[in-house]
Amino acid sequence: MAERGASGSGSSGDSLDKSITLPPDEIFRNLENAKRFAIDIGGSLTKLAYYSTVQHKVARVRSFDYSGKDAEQDHEPPYEISVQEEVTARLHFVKFENTYIEACLDFIKDHLVNTETKVIQATGGGAYKFKDLIEEKLRLRVDKEDVMTCLIKGCNFVLKNIPHEAFVYQKDSDPEFKFQTNHPNIFPYLLVNIGSGVSIVKVETEDRFEWIGGSSIGGGTFWGLGALLTKTKKFDELLHLASKGQHANVDMLVQDVYGGAHQTLGLSGNLIASSFGKSATADREFSKEDMAKSLLHMISNDIGQLACLYAKLHCLDRVYFGGFFIRGHPVTMRTITYSINFFSKGEVQALFLRHEGYLGAIGAFLKGAEQDNPNQYSWGENYAGSSGLMSSSPELCPTQRARSGTFDLLEMDRLERPLVNLPLLLDPSSYVPDTVDLTDDALARKYWLTCFEEALDGVVKRAVASQPGSVDAAERAEKFRQKYWSKLQTLRHQPFAYGTLTVRSLLDTREHCLNEFNFPDPYSKVKQKENGVALKCFPRVIRCLDALGWEERQLALVKGLLAGNVFDWGAKAVSDVLESDPQFGFEEAKMKLQGRDGPPHKCALIFADNSGIDVILGVFPFVRELLSRGTEVILACNSGPALNDVTYCESLIVAERIAAMDPVVHSALREERLLLMQTGSSSPCLDLSRLDKGLAVLVRERGADLVVIEGMGRAVHTNYYAALRCESLKLAVIKNSWLAERLGGRLFSVIFKYEVPAE
Ligand code: ADP
């Protein structure tokens, strides 16, 4: 089988290929470099986790060497860009039916070339049952891990690390999915894992948990009984049938017994009195759809009631549901939620998980990775490689359904730094970075999805243009287009596929897809050019600013920050609005600012936005003014590229060049009164709950008492409502007419939000 390519041939590959519409190497991605494996083999499904390295190109910037040259020489461009290979770590999760285990193991064996690992962490009953098969096929020693430990480890991990992992499902509300923000304190909770059977675990701390009950009536029962009743062996087919059925044709309802509601017990007439109760007496055939629906109700109700009773028995008010049975299926979630609400009278909350089925595999993987000092890292879901929630939805187009019906993918990128909350958040547990929830707001969703679709041509062109020397750039860019386009179409139909849909997640998905096809920084050359131009203007701008009186200068500085350009102010429209439009609180804020007495701030934390004019002629003069007033400045820029945002590495060079022209910046850098830091993010937006730990530590050490957040992505799409414990300034120019209208302003209106926390 070694010679089989993407199209697949050979015995074991055949059985694998029959079931899927994608070539196996698109499912088991990056297998060549897989380093560590974990497998969770349950009664029905196998979940494989592997950690692998991904090699991709990154644009690196490097200062020119000035030694021996005329320092005054006009350098354009201001620095060199070189494209280098970088290796990053990625975690892959793949799920498939146990039937395919041999074929999948064969495929894996044939594609494992570089692995140094000798063991595979295995959990689930199959760790025992398939031990010999795995050892023989993969030639890896099976290291068995305790099922419950893995399950809980995995559950704690997703609850803490994956944004919008847990959600409640409310059938008739809009949106139906309400995602939870990651809460710093997740304990105690009840985990009900619905796999083939059901396990119920009470979890009190990271490593204190107890198996308190279970049931044999679970996912396997639905699958098995469903197959007997409908002659349909495919789980997704069963779900599909169920979604079309009427359970009341099969079930005996309260009204069938009492002729209406049961008044004394307070039971409505529609309540199921007896699952399948009608089938015994009614003299007719029952449709597959109705039977499948009735079965799904029966099992989900039963599990819901069990969960509720155990939660009440142990005084817990939150139940998370794991296991692959639920699969984001509305009928199942609705029934379980209904049942829990009904029996607990609303006291117990049912919460579902986006990665419900992977808990054991994630836990087993983490067990194996314990010696790697996991606290040095953080993880981020890679939207390009993950298949997303609700992938089995019957509304999906057949190819998408066929793919996900058998295989389901999750990919997570390892970030080489721990991410933590900004210590200045007023209430980290209620902080929500995103301003508009597009799952909630259908109009905004339509608008933004169309907007991103329409922008796609431009992004593709830019990507190709950014790599003029590359022969396959056009081909890769086309693949990028297809991938992102299909993500957008999925999101149109399932806005909640990746958690709450936001402008940020749309932007991040685009960045992930660009990276996927080796377009790490399509704006690198544009940024380089703009930085060069802006650096040349810097001395003149500073001279003009210094010539102004204090008040005029403050105004000019703020306007410069807003417009990203001090004197000609780029677009005329911007300056016109700046002059005349006080509606976004600019005048009010100015008065507040003027009225602010007391000493200068101790330390300002500034989140910068764009490269070029914005950072060099907008932010740096402002930084310089703060420094002159005795305020220390932490300038935080993105760790990795996103659009034309200035990156940390670029900011270092820009600062160095400015320091060479300006003694204020020069001495501040030398004396560490101006500190350049990275945010830990590669997004055009800003999540203040996931910031580089080094930055957070510095913010605390220096006692930052002013936060400045600049730009649409960071101050409008995100953080517009972020409440901080110190003074803050959020500023942006609205460069999108729809959004301007939405906010009640005009194109190029100005957001200038100066907030002082309540005493
Ligand atoms: P186990 O570890 O026991 O296999 P899982 O958490 O993997 O448990 O869930 C298995 C159950 O998931 C099955 O019994 C079935 O009800 C459901 N299921 C979801 N998707 C599929 C699928 N594509 N094929 C088979 N069963 C599926």
Side-chain angles (χ1 to χ4, degrees):
M1 197 171 123
E3 71 278 6
R4 36 190 316 274
S7 58
S9 63
S11 57
S12 51
D14 272 348
S15 60
L16 185 59
D17 286 352
K18 263 182 214 152
S19 60
I20 52 169
T21 52
L22 281 178
D25 52 2
E26 282 196 29
I27 292 166
F28 299 101
R29 300 185 340 139
N30 295 315
L31 208 51
E32 300 73 41
N33 301 314
K35 299 277 182 288
R36 191 190 287 286
F37 288 89
I39 197 163
D40 172 12
I41 313 177
S44 319
L45 301 172
T46 298
K47 283 75 59 175
L48 177 78
Y50 57 96
Y51 149 77
S52 184
T53 50
V54 195
Q55 188 152 1
H56 45 204
K57 295 195 165 35
V58 286
R60 292 241 181 276
V61 294
R62 203 179 59 190
S63 237
F64 283 117
D65 181 8
Y66 290 105
S67 55
K69 292 188 195 141
D70 180 2
E72 291 300 305
Q73 188 182 322
D74 252 354
H75 266 290
E76 200 171 4
Y79 51 82
E80 289 180 280
I81 304 175
S82 60
V83 174
Q84 290 172 11
E85 295 287 338
E86 189 188 65
V87 175
T88 54
R90 188 171 290 173
L91 246 177
H92 299 259
F93 296 93
V94 186
K95 171 221 91 178
F96 48 86
E97 288 173 30
N98 287 358
T99 335
Y100 302 107
I101 192 161
E102 273 202 56
C104 289
L105 290 177
D106 276 332
F107 183 85
I108 295 166
K109 175 188 72 185
D110 291 338
H111 290 76
L112 271 190
V113 273
N114 286 333
T115 194
E116 301 127 29
T117 186
K118 300 272 178 291
V119 280
I120 177 167
Q121 263 67 38
T123 184
Y128 298 82
K129 190 169 159 194
F130 294 103
K131 177 175 177 286
D132 293 343
L133 183 75
I134 300 170
E135 291 192 335
E136 179 214 324
K137 295 260 181 208
L138 298 187
R139 290 182 212 104
L140 298 176
R141 181 168 51 77
V142 168
D143 210 346
K144 290 194 228 70
E145 300 291 349
D146 174 63
V147 180
M148 283 304 136
T149 311
C150 292
L151 191 68
I152 304 306
K153 228 182 187 3
C155 190
N156 293 338
F157 177 85
V158 295
L159 289 176
K160 285 184 179 165
N161 289 280
I162 307 192
H164 302 148
E165 175 61 29
F167 60 92
V168 292
Y169 183 79
Q170 299 154 308
K171 170 72 184 91
D172 293 316
S173 57
D174 188 14
E176 293 165 53
F177 290 69
K178 269 256 170 279
F179 291 91
Q180 313 277 299
T181 43
N182 294 47
H183 204 282
N185 189 10
I186 57 174
F187 305 110
Y189 65 84
L190 190 72
L191 175 66
V192 175
N193 197 61
I194 321 175
S196 305
V198 181
S199 296
I200 302 176
V201 193
K202 172 181 169 183
V203 188
E204 287 176 300
T205 64
E206 197 68 58
D207 18 51
R208 204 167 71 232
F209 55 85
E210 189 188 349
W211 187 91
I212 53 174
S215 164
S216 65
I217 301 174
T221 320
F222 174 67
W223 199 14
L225 266 185
L228 288 176
L229 287 170
T230 67
K231 307 281 172 273
T232 307
K233 291 253 181 204
K234 290 244 164 262
F235 182 82
D236 283 311
E237 288 286 330
L238 267 176
L239 281 185
H240 190 51
L241 288 175
S243 62
K244 293 190 295 186
Q246 297 294 332
H247 74 101
N249 291 336
V250 181
D251 291 343
M252 188 183 283
L253 308 184
V254 168
Q255 68 198 19
D256 296 322
V257 184
Y258 291 93
H262 190 303
Q263 304 293 355
T264 38
L265 294 182
L267 304 178
S268 95
N270 289 330
L271 214 61
I272 302 172
S274 167
S275 292
F276 287 91
K278 267 186 196 148
S279 36
T281 49
D283 192 14
R284 59 181 170 84
E285 289 286 303
F286 295 95
S287 81
K288 290 179 177 181
E289 288 81 356
D290 296 347
M291 290 191 289
K293 177 76 163 262
S294 171
L295 185 61
L296 188 55
H297 270 206
M298 182 178 93
I299 290 170
S300 309
N301 263 322
D302 187 54
I303 296 172
Q305 179 167 18
L306 263 185
C308 163
L309 291 175
Y310 274 106
K312 303 251 333 164
L313 201 61
H314 291 267
C315 303
L316 299 167
D317 58 5
R318 252 175 318 147
V319 182
Y320 292 104
F321 287 91
F324 254 126
F325 169 65
I326 298 170
R327 295 281 302 277
H329 198 267
V331 178
T332 317
M333 295 192 298
R334 178 193 183 182
T335 314
I336 290 180
T337 305
Y338 178 86
S339 168
I340 289 206
N341 277 339
F342 181 82
F343 291 110
S344 77
K345 300 194 172 60
E347 282 171 21
V348 179
Q349 190 179 35
L351 287 142
F352 302 97
L353 301 171
R354 283 201 295 134
H355 302 104
E356 54 180 23
Y358 286 119
L359 307 183
I362 292 177
F365 176 83
L366 292 171
K367 282 286 289 173
E370 261 160 12
Q371 70 259 40
D372 295 348
N373 194 3
N375 295 337
Q376 289 171 37
Y377 312 119
S378 50
W379 298 89
E381 183 170 0
N382 186 305
Y383 296 134
S386 302
S387 40
L389 185 72
M390 283 284 280
S391 40
S392 63
S393 159
E395 292 79 39
L396 263 193
C397 74
T399 50
Q400 275 170 302
R401 190 156 12 111
R403 168 194 168 172
S404 60
T406 315
F407 289 87
D408 205 83
L409 316 175
L410 162 67
E411 291 187 4
M412 295 179 76
D413 286 324
R414 190 173 82 183
L415 314 169
E416 304 306 311
R417 45 177 44 85
L419 299 179
V420 297
N421 278 318
L422 174 67
L424 296 169
L425 281 178
L426 186 64
D427 176 15
S429 61
S430 67
Y431 168 72
V432 179
D434 304 287
T435 306
V436 180
D437 176 352
L438 300 180
T439 29
D440 208 358
D441 185 335
L443 260 180
R445 177 168 73 242
K446 262 200 185 134
Y447 170 78
W448 284 109
L449 285 169
T450 310
C451 206
F452 278 87
E453 279 170 11
E454 286 173 358
L456 193 49
D457 272 344
V459 180
V460 169
K461 270 197 202 129
R462 160 114 324 280
V464 178
S466 71
Q467 297 181 359
S470 160
V471 282
D472 65 346
E475 193 187 319
R476 281 185 288 117
E478 197 44 46
K479 285 191 184 152
F480 152 74
R481 180 211 296 279
Q482 283 168 16
K483 182 133 206 176
Y484 190 53
W485 179 264
S486 101
K487 292 274 168 197
L488 291 174
Q489 302 323 302
T490 304
L491 289 166
R492 269 201 194 275
H493 298 113
Q494 308 167 56
F496 28 73
Y498 297 93
T500 299
L501 181 67
T502 58
V503 176
R504 174 167 66 112
S505 67
L506 286 168
L507 284 163
D508 289 351
T509 307
R510 190 166 73 186
E511 295 297 325
H512 294 176
C513 292
L514 277 166
N515 269 329
E516 177 84 15
F517 296 103
N518 256 328
F519 293 107
D521 192 0
Y523 283 86
S524 58
K525 296 228 167 60
V526 177
K527 290 187 286 182
Q528 181 195 40
K529 186 157 172 252
E530 287 182 3
N531 284 333
V533 171
L535 280 169
K536 276 193 191 150
C537 299
F538 184 80
R540 181 168 60 90
V541 168
I542 292 299
R543 268 198 308 277
C544 295
L545 280 169
D546 284 349
L548 298 174
W550 187 86
E551 185 160 343
E552 277 175 294
R553 192 167 71 244
Q554 307 311 304
L555 207 57
L557 281 166
V558 168
K559 286 177 177 178
L561 260 182
L562 283 167
N565 185 323
V566 178
F567 291 106
D568 61 5
W569 293 12
K572 167 127 183 10
V574 177
S575 56
D576 287 348
V577 176
L578 278 171
E579 293 288 16
S580 63
D581 191 351
Q583 62 187 321
F584 278 98
F586 184 61
E587 287 301 319
E588 188 197 325
K590 195 177 88 187
M591 273 155 53
K592 269 204 228 162
L593 275 173
Q594 280 169 346
R596 180 189 183 279
D597 4 274
H601 294 96
K602 185 169 178 327
C603 173
L605 166 64
I606 303 180
F607 291 98
D609 184 19
N610 301 316
S611 249
I613 288 171
D614 191 355
V615 68
I616 295 170
L617 303 183
V619 175
F620 265 96
F622 181 73
V623 167
R624 190 176 169 272
E625 181 77 11
L626 287 170
L627 291 169
S628 317
R629 287 158 56 103
T631 301
E632 293 178 345
V633 177
I634 303 171
L635 182 62
C637 299
N638 266 3
S639 300
L643 294 173
N644 63 333
D645 293 359
V646 58
T647 63
Y648 167 68
C649 293
E650 288 159 358
S651 77
L652 292 178
I653 296 181
V654 162
E656 181 195 321
R657 294 292 305 273
I658 290 179
M661 299 184 264
D662 180 62
V664 179
V665 171
H666 185 265
S667 59
L669 276 176
R670 210 186 43 220
E671 292 157 17
E672 295 188 344
R673 285 181 290 109
L674 169 58
L675 298 126
L676 304 180
M677 295 297 287
Q678 52 186 317
T679 56
S681 158
S682 303
S683 167
C685 296
L686 179 65
D687 180 351
L688 294 174
S689 66
R690 281 169 71 83
L691 280 188
D692 184 78
K693 194 171 175 189
L695 174 61
V697 168
L698 192 68
V699 163
R700 202 176 268 129
E701 271 173 18
R702 296 287 168 127
D705 51 357
L706 172 67
V707 174
V708 181
I709 307 178
E710 202 216 347
M712 287 240 297
R714 291 173 184 76
V716 181
H717 295 317
T718 50
N719 298 311
Y720 191 68
Y721 300 118
L724 299 174
R725 280 200 277 118
C726 65
E727 286 171 52
S728 65
L729 190 54
K730 297 165 190 170
L731 26 85
V733 177
I734 304 291
K735 285 160 274 183
N736 171 300
S737 50
W738 183 86
L739 185 62
E741 208 172 292
R742 246 300 165 100
L743 296 168
R746 284 183 277 130
L747 185 62
F748 295 128
S749 292
V750 162
I751 299 280
F752 191 95
K753 220 174 165 205
Y754 170 67
E755 290 161 306
V756 185
E759 279 301 303

